[in-house]
Amino acid sequence: MRIFNNPDQSGHNPRDEFYRGQRVPCFENPTRADHVLQALAAAGAAVEAPTHDSAAALAQVHAPRYLAFLQDAWRQWLALDAANANLQPFPSVWPVRTLRSDVEPGNFIARLGLYSMDNGTPLAAGTWAAAKGGADAAASAAHALLAGERAAFCATRPPGHHAGPDFMGGYCFLNNAAVAAQALRLGGAQRVAVLDVDYHHGNGTQAIFYDRADVLFVSLHGDPLTEYPFYLGHADETGAGEGAGFNLNLPLPAGTGAAAWLDALEVACQCVAAHRADALVVSLGLDTFGGDPIGGFGLQQGEFARLGARLRRLGLPTAFVLEGGYASAELGHNACHVLEGFEAA
C-alpha cells in the first residue's frame, strides 16, 4: 500500500478554538499526524510526499471564489494590521436564512463568516499550504489507484470532509475525500463510491456530490439531532436530481457499541457493492474510538481491524483519507489496525 504524507501539515497550527462556548487548545493539531507517522514507521511502512497536483480536482469540487479567499485569507488578515500575526481571526457573523450569500462583503470578518459554517475552524499562517498539501496527497492516492495500486493511504491533516463547495468547518478547509473521488473520475473511473466512517457526518462531501449519480456517498455517524454537524446527516437525505438514490446516511445514537456499529457498516458495504463502483474512497475518521474526547462510540482496536478486513472484501481499489480522531496517542495505532486488517484479509 502506498502511503502519502503532507510535508506542510505542521504549518497549520492554530493555538485555540471555541468548543462548547469556551476557548480551548485545538483538538486538531500537528501531533495527530505525528502519531500516525510514528506508528507507520514502527510498522515498517514507507511514506512519500505527494506526487500530483490537486488543482484540477479542486476546481471541480470547490467554488472559485472560496478557493481564492482561502488561499489569500492570511495575507488579508495581516493587511488589516501587522499585529494580527499574533492573533487568530474568528468569524462573528454568518449569512443565515433571508440574508444574501451571493455578494462577497468588503469586510474581512464578514468574508470569513461567508465562507465558514462555524467558529471552530481557526486559520493560521500556514493553513492554505497545509490544506493544499493534503489535497495533493489525496489526488496522489487517486492517481496511485489509477496506475494499478490496490490501495493507498493519505496520512495527512487537516481533515476535509466537513468542507463544502464554498465553506470551511469542523477543522476542514479543502475536502480531501471529494478531491480523491473527483481525481478518480477525471482519470477515467466511471463510478466512484465514498464511504465515510467518521463519528461526525461528512456534510461537505454529501453537499458536493448530492445531485450526482457518478459518485455514491455513504456515511455512518453520530445522529445529527445531538452530534456535530447537526444540520445534515439525517436518514431521509437520499440525493437530489440525477443524484436521487445515491446518498445513504446511517445515523446512530451516541453511545452506540461495536456490534451495532458493525451491523451498520455491513449495510453501508452492501450499498457500496450495489453501486458497482470502479474505486472506493474511505473517509477514515477514527474518532469512533471509545477513548476519543469528542466522539461518542465505543470502538476498540479489534473493530478497526475488522473494518479494514470488511473493506478489503469489497474488492475495490481503495484510497483511505485520514479524517478525525482526537485521541492523538492512540490515533496512529488505530489507523494501522485498519490498514493491517485491509491487507491481511
Side-chain angles (χ1 to χ4, degrees):
M1 180 182 300
R2 291 181 68 181
I3 300 174
F4 295 95
N5 181 28
N6 174 4
D8 296 315
Q9 66 90 13
S10 60
H12 175 64
N13 190 18
R15 291 186 306 273
D16 44 38
E17 64 175 276
F18 285 100
Y19 180 66
R20 296 177 179 170
Q22 301 295 317
R23 201 160 181 156
V24 301
C26 288
F27 289 104
E28 205 292 299
N29 58 66
T31 63
R32 299 179 61 247
D34 293 342
H35 282 292
V36 174
L37 293 173
Q38 289 165 11
L40 290 168
V47 179
E48 57 186 296
T51 56
H52 286 75
D53 189 349
S54 59
L58 280 173
Q60 295 192 11
V61 301
H62 290 297
R65 71 173 190 172
Y66 171 63
L67 292 173
F69 171 78
L70 189 59
Q71 185 170 2
D72 196 45
W74 192 256
R75 186 202 62 80
Q76 294 179 30
W77 176 236
L78 296 185
L80 296 176
D81 187 336
N84 283 349
N86 298 314
L87 300 174
Q88 291 178 212
F90 287 97
S92 59
V93 60
W94 293 266
V96 297
R97 293 162 298 281
T98 77
L99 301 182
R100 292 183 65 175
S101 60
D102 60 316
V103 179
E104 188 178 66
N107 180 280
F108 175 80
I109 293 300
R111 286 197 299 277
L112 185 58
L114 175 66
Y115 297 119
S116 300
M117 66 172 283
D118 58 30
N119 70 344
T121 308
L123 292 169
T127 296
W128 169 255
K132 177 60 163 56
D136 290 347
S140 300
H143 281 278
L145 301 190
L146 292 167
E149 292 288 335
R150 176 67 175 177
F153 174 48
C154 298
T156 184
R157 59 166 291 278
H161 70 150
H162 294 306
D166 61 354
F167 61 84
M168 63 189 82
Y171 311 137
C172 303
F173 301 92
L174 299 176
N175 195 308
N176 300 323
V179 165
Q182 188 63 39
L184 285 163
R185 288 286 291 113
L186 291 171
Q190 296 301 303
R191 297 161 71 90
V192 177
V194 179
L195 173 59
D196 193 319
V197 296
D198 193 280
Y199 180 73
H200 305 94
H201 177 253
N203 59 287
T205 315
Q206 173 173 309
I208 288 167
F209 296 119
Y210 201 63
D211 60 355
R212 290 172 53 171
D214 58 331
V215 180
L216 171 75
F217 178 68
V218 181
S219 177
L220 53 156
H221 52 269
D223 193 328
L225 287 175
T226 61
E227 309 304 308
Y228 186 93
F230 304 115
Y231 307 112
L232 212 63
H234 299 281
D236 63 350
E237 299 158 11
T238 57
E242 292 183 1
F246 291 91
N247 194 93
L248 174 64
N249 287 324
L250 300 167
L252 300 168
T256 292
W261 189 88
L262 288 167
D263 287 344
L265 175 66
E266 184 59 32
V267 174
C269 287
Q270 291 177 12
C271 181
V272 169
H275 185 59
R276 304 190 311 279
D278 299 310
L280 172 66
V281 177
V282 180
S283 271
L284 186 61
L286 297 164
D287 44 5
T288 51
F289 174 59
D292 196 275
I294 57 176
F297 293 160
L299 274 64
Q300 301 298 321
Q301 292 180 350
E303 281 79 52
F304 290 120
R306 293 178 67 181
L307 166 63
R310 182 62 184 90
L311 296 178
R312 179 61 179 260
R313 293 202 301 275
L314 287 170
L316 295 173
T318 302
F320 293 92
V321 179
L322 185 66
E323 300 284 4
Y326 306 100
S328 294
E330 293 85 1
L331 180 60
H333 298 296
N334 292 337
C336 285
H337 277 284
V338 176
L339 303 183
E340 290 165 358
F342 183 91
E343 296 201 314

